[in-house]
Amino acid sequence: MTTPNEYINTVGKAFEMFEASLNGSKSTFLHELRKESLAAVLKSGLPGPKHEEYRYTNFGKALEKNIAYQGIVAETAAASSPTPLDSFEGYKLYFVNGKLDASRSDLGDLSEKVTVTSLASAVKEQDDLKEYLGSIVKSWPDAFSHLNTAFAKEGIFIRVKKNTVLDKPLYIIHSNDTSATEMLAHYRNLAIVEEGAQLKVIEANFSTGANTSYTNTVLEVFCKKNASVEWSKLQLENETALRIDNSLVYQERDSKCTINTVTLSGQMVRNNLYIALDDENTEAHMYGLYLIDGKTHVDNHTSVDHRKPNSFSNELYKGIMDDQSHGVFNGKIFVRQDAQKTNAFQQNNNILLSPNAVINTKPQLEIWADDVKCSHGCTTGQLDNEQLFYLRARGISEDKAKAMLLHAFAGDVIANISVEPVREYLEQLITDKIEN
């Protein structure tokens, strides 16, 4: 077994191989950004259990155990397989084992006021990309975000021009097949939603195969004045999937952003969500559901930074854990001295269905302003016996009664997804999982 130092050196050698494969693109600003980020992660190493932010989620250890990083340049090819989302109305982008599958992607009659293109094309064609790419990561540094930047090659750039409303949701669908070998992917997505524009994105992840898949994703969203963004993440991979997902949002005056994160499976999943409210009358909503069993480990870390007056944030995360699954929630709300009249609410509720299931939860407030309205809280327990008795007294079986209560518990989160077919699809998945 390798030591942490040996492993980070392996990552460095993998970068040399990756760099050698970049024919003609080593002179771009992106490559300079890659080298800066690699230097940062080589200096810091990957966070272990002594790192407070990764105390319960030793993702670096999971990588050392399962992933030979040199595989980054030996990406596997796989056939694109159907997904349940294929029939939903909307624009579609498909990725298979880290590669864009252009043959299945369909942007149809996308307005000329909306740009959706690959990261590689954006580097060549978007003159102001340097201003945006990586700028939020610098405000919220994390070893895995740096790692993503170092190896970023595949991903999507989205720009919605001023006062443009995307008429249908955009689906970004990832399918990983590890039947033949392990798989690594570093996706980098960037969205600029200009003044008064609106965007809805559903990003769904599926996987098959017995070998390990490792996905490291960074999303940066710039929500300009009076813009609106709803981004929903569906994490539906199998028990061999390692995933670290970083969502970073920057909001300007009068903007609104909603991030929905639903995790129903996987081996180890870490979600980092950071939102900076950097002007007045900004509004952020964060909803999360983790419904897990087996030995699945899911860790949600959120951070909301209120920088200016009269901003609002609302956060609701719920967890249902069965068998030997492990959930982690760590939420922080920062209210800076200038952010008077801030309203901020944070809640994390959990149900443990097994004596072997574990939850570690830590809601936090750090407030420097004196005229604010902020609250946070968390609950952890089992199903309410009085509610069970009420249902059983009306002739409902115990299993059915438990399923009804769990479905209602999870429904508070799912109800916030505005795209109806996606909401109905998730409700059915949740019902099937609870009843089976």
Side-chain angles (χ1 to χ4, degrees), residues 310-333:
N310 299 305
S311 58
F312 172 77
S313 68
N314 179 42
E315 181 173 11
L316 175 63
Y317 273 69
K318 288 192 169 187
I320 300 173
M321 282 138 290
D322 201 356
D323 301 328
Q324 300 175 61
S325 59
H326 188 172
V328 181
F329 174 80
N330 188 309
K332 294 178 182 175
I333 297 174

Short mmCIF file of all heavy atoms in Angstrom, two decimals, residues 310-333:
data_model
loop_
_atom_site.label_atom_id
_atom_site.label_comp_id
_atom_site.label_asym_id
_atom_site.label_seq_id
_atom_site.Cartn_x
_atom_site.Cartn_y
_atom_site.Cartn_z
N ASN A 310 -29.49 42.89 3.37
CA ASN A 310 -30.80 42.49 2.83
C ASN A 310 -30.73 41.25 1.94
O ASN A 310 -31.44 41.16 0.94
CB ASN A 310 -31.42 43.65 2.03
CG ASN A 310 -31.66 44.87 2.90
OD1 ASN A 310 -32.32 44.78 3.93
ND2 ASN A 310 -31.09 45.99 2.50
N SER A 311 -29.92 40.29 2.29
CA SER A 311 -29.89 39.04 1.54
C SER A 311 -30.62 37.95 2.32
O SER A 311 -30.83 38.06 3.53
CB SER A 311 -28.46 38.62 1.24
OG SER A 311 -27.73 38.48 2.45
N PHE A 312 -30.99 36.90 1.60
CA PHE A 312 -31.81 35.82 2.20
C PHE A 312 -31.26 34.47 1.77
O PHE A 312 -30.97 34.26 0.60
CB PHE A 312 -33.26 35.97 1.72
CG PHE A 312 -34.15 34.82 2.13
CD1 PHE A 312 -34.64 34.72 3.42
CD2 PHE A 312 -34.50 33.83 1.21
CE1 PHE A 312 -35.46 33.66 3.80
CE2 PHE A 312 -35.32 32.77 1.57
CZ PHE A 312 -35.80 32.69 2.87
N SER A 313 -31.12 33.56 2.74
CA SER A 313 -30.74 32.19 2.38
C SER A 313 -31.61 31.22 3.16
O SER A 313 -31.94 31.45 4.33
CB SER A 313 -29.26 31.93 2.65
OG SER A 313 -28.98 31.94 4.04
N ASN A 314 -31.96 30.14 2.50
CA ASN A 314 -32.82 29.11 3.11
C ASN A 314 -32.24 27.75 2.76
O ASN A 314 -32.01 27.45 1.59
CB ASN A 314 -34.25 29.23 2.56
CG ASN A 314 -35.15 28.17 3.14
OD1 ASN A 314 -35.10 27.88 4.34
ND2 ASN A 314 -35.98 27.58 2.30
N GLU A 315 -31.99 26.93 3.77
CA GLU A 315 -31.32 25.65 3.55
C GLU A 315 -32.07 24.54 4.28
O GLU A 315 -32.33 24.65 5.47
CB GLU A 315 -29.88 25.74 4.06
CG GLU A 315 -29.07 24.47 3.86
CD GLU A 315 -27.61 24.67 4.23
OE1 GLU A 315 -27.28 25.72 4.83
OE2 GLU A 315 -26.80 23.79 3.93
N LEU A 316 -32.41 23.48 3.55
CA LEU A 316 -33.06 22.32 4.16
C LEU A 316 -32.42 21.05 3.61
O LEU A 316 -32.49 20.77 2.41
CB LEU A 316 -34.56 22.31 3.84
CG LEU A 316 -35.33 21.08 4.31
CD1 LEU A 316 -35.30 20.96 5.84
CD2 LEU A 316 -36.78 21.11 3.82
N TYR A 317 -31.79 20.28 4.48
CA TYR A 317 -31.21 18.99 4.11
C TYR A 317 -31.85 17.91 4.98
O TYR A 317 -31.97 18.08 6.19
CB TYR A 317 -29.68 18.99 4.32
CG TYR A 317 -28.92 19.52 3.13
CD1 TYR A 317 -28.98 20.86 2.78
CD2 TYR A 317 -28.14 18.67 2.35
CE1 TYR A 317 -28.31 21.34 1.69
CE2 TYR A 317 -27.44 19.15 1.24
CZ TYR A 317 -27.52 20.49 0.91
OH TYR A 317 -26.85 20.97 -0.17
N LYS A 318 -32.24 16.80 4.33
CA LYS A 318 -32.84 15.69 5.06
C LYS A 318 -32.14 14.39 4.70
O LYS A 318 -31.75 14.19 3.53
CB LYS A 318 -34.33 15.59 4.74
CG LYS A 318 -35.16 16.70 5.38
CD LYS A 318 -36.65 16.39 5.27
CE LYS A 318 -37.46 17.33 6.14
NZ LYS A 318 -38.89 16.95 6.16
N GLY A 319 -32.00 13.50 5.71
CA GLY A 319 -31.33 12.23 5.48
C GLY A 319 -32.12 11.05 6.04
O GLY A 319 -32.71 11.15 7.13
N ILE A 320 -32.14 9.97 5.28
CA ILE A 320 -32.71 8.69 5.75
C ILE A 320 -31.61 7.65 5.58
O ILE A 320 -31.15 7.43 4.45
CB ILE A 320 -33.96 8.29 4.95
CG1 ILE A 320 -35.05 9.36 5.08
CG2 ILE A 320 -34.48 6.94 5.44
CD1 ILE A 320 -36.25 9.12 4.17
N MET A 321 -31.18 7.02 6.67
CA MET A 321 -30.06 6.09 6.61
C MET A 321 -30.46 4.73 7.16
O MET A 321 -31.03 4.63 8.25
CB MET A 321 -28.87 6.65 7.42
CG MET A 321 -28.13 7.73 6.66
SD MET A 321 -27.68 9.13 7.70
CE MET A 321 -29.25 9.88 8.01
N ASP A 322 -30.15 3.69 6.39
CA ASP A 322 -30.47 2.32 6.78
C ASP A 322 -29.18 1.50 6.76
O ASP A 322 -28.13 1.95 6.29
CB ASP A 322 -31.50 1.74 5.81
CG ASP A 322 -32.23 0.55 6.41
OD1 ASP A 322 -31.90 0.13 7.54
OD2 ASP A 322 -33.15 0.04 5.74
N ASP A 323 -29.26 0.26 7.25
CA ASP A 323 -28.13 -0.69 7.26
C ASP A 323 -26.92 -0.05 7.96
O ASP A 323 -27.04 0.45 9.06
CB ASP A 323 -27.79 -1.13 5.84
CG ASP A 323 -28.98 -1.81 5.15
OD1 ASP A 323 -29.77 -2.46 5.87
OD2 ASP A 323 -29.12 -1.66 3.94
N GLN A 324 -25.75 -0.08 7.30
CA GLN A 324 -24.53 0.49 7.89
C GLN A 324 -24.12 1.78 7.19
O GLN A 324 -22.93 2.12 7.15
CB GLN A 324 -23.40 -0.53 7.80
CG GLN A 324 -23.68 -1.84 8.51
CD GLN A 324 -22.58 -2.86 8.29
OE1 GLN A 324 -21.42 -2.63 8.65
NE2 GLN A 324 -22.92 -3.97 7.69
N SER A 325 -25.08 2.45 6.63
CA SER A 325 -24.76 3.68 5.90
C SER A 325 -24.35 4.80 6.87
O SER A 325 -24.65 4.77 8.06
CB SER A 325 -25.95 4.13 5.05
OG SER A 325 -27.07 4.36 5.87
N HIS A 326 -23.65 5.78 6.31
CA HIS A 326 -23.09 6.88 7.12
C HIS A 326 -23.39 8.20 6.43
O HIS A 326 -22.99 8.41 5.29
CB HIS A 326 -21.58 6.67 7.26
CG HIS A 326 -20.92 7.62 8.22
ND1 HIS A 326 -19.60 7.50 8.62
CD2 HIS A 326 -21.39 8.73 8.87
CE1 HIS A 326 -19.30 8.47 9.47
NE2 HIS A 326 -20.36 9.24 9.62
N GLY A 327 -24.08 9.08 7.11
CA GLY A 327 -24.35 10.41 6.59
C GLY A 327 -23.60 11.47 7.37
O GLY A 327 -23.37 11.32 8.58
N VAL A 328 -23.19 12.52 6.69
CA VAL A 328 -22.52 13.66 7.32
C VAL A 328 -23.16 14.94 6.78
O VAL A 328 -23.36 15.06 5.57
CB VAL A 328 -21.00 13.68 7.01
CG1 VAL A 328 -20.34 14.87 7.71
CG2 VAL A 328 -20.34 12.37 7.42
N PHE A 329 -23.49 15.85 7.69
CA PHE A 329 -23.93 17.19 7.27
C PHE A 329 -23.14 18.22 8.06
O PHE A 329 -23.06 18.16 9.29
CB PHE A 329 -25.42 17.40 7.51
CG PHE A 329 -25.86 18.81 7.21
CD1 PHE A 329 -26.11 19.22 5.91
CD2 PHE A 329 -26.00 19.74 8.24
CE1 PHE A 329 -26.48 20.53 5.64
CE2 PHE A 329 -26.37 21.05 7.97
CZ PHE A 329 -26.62 21.44 6.67
N ASN A 330 -22.54 19.17 7.34
CA ASN A 330 -21.83 20.27 7.97
C ASN A 330 -22.20 21.54 7.23
O ASN A 330 -21.82 21.74 6.08
CB ASN A 330 -20.31 20.03 7.92
CG ASN A 330 -19.52 21.05 8.73
OD1 ASN A 330 -19.72 22.24 8.57
ND2 ASN A 330 -18.63 20.57 9.57
N GLY A 331 -23.00 22.38 7.87
CA GLY A 331 -23.47 23.60 7.21
C GLY A 331 -23.00 24.85 7.94
O GLY A 331 -23.08 24.91 9.17
N LYS A 332 -22.51 25.82 7.19
CA LYS A 332 -22.03 27.06 7.79
C LYS A 332 -22.74 28.25 7.14
O LYS A 332 -22.91 28.30 5.93
CB LYS A 332 -20.52 27.23 7.59
CG LYS A 332 -19.67 26.20 8.31
CD LYS A 332 -18.20 26.42 8.01
CE LYS A 332 -17.35 25.35 8.70
NZ LYS A 332 -15.91 25.46 8.33
N ILE A 333 -23.14 29.18 7.98
CA ILE A 333 -23.67 30.46 7.50
C ILE A 333 -22.77 31.56 8.03
O ILE A 333 -22.59 31.68 9.25
CB ILE A 333 -25.12 30.69 7.98
CG1 ILE A 333 -26.05 29.62 7.40
CG2 ILE A 333 -25.59 32.09 7.57
CD1 ILE A 333 -27.47 29.71 7.94
#
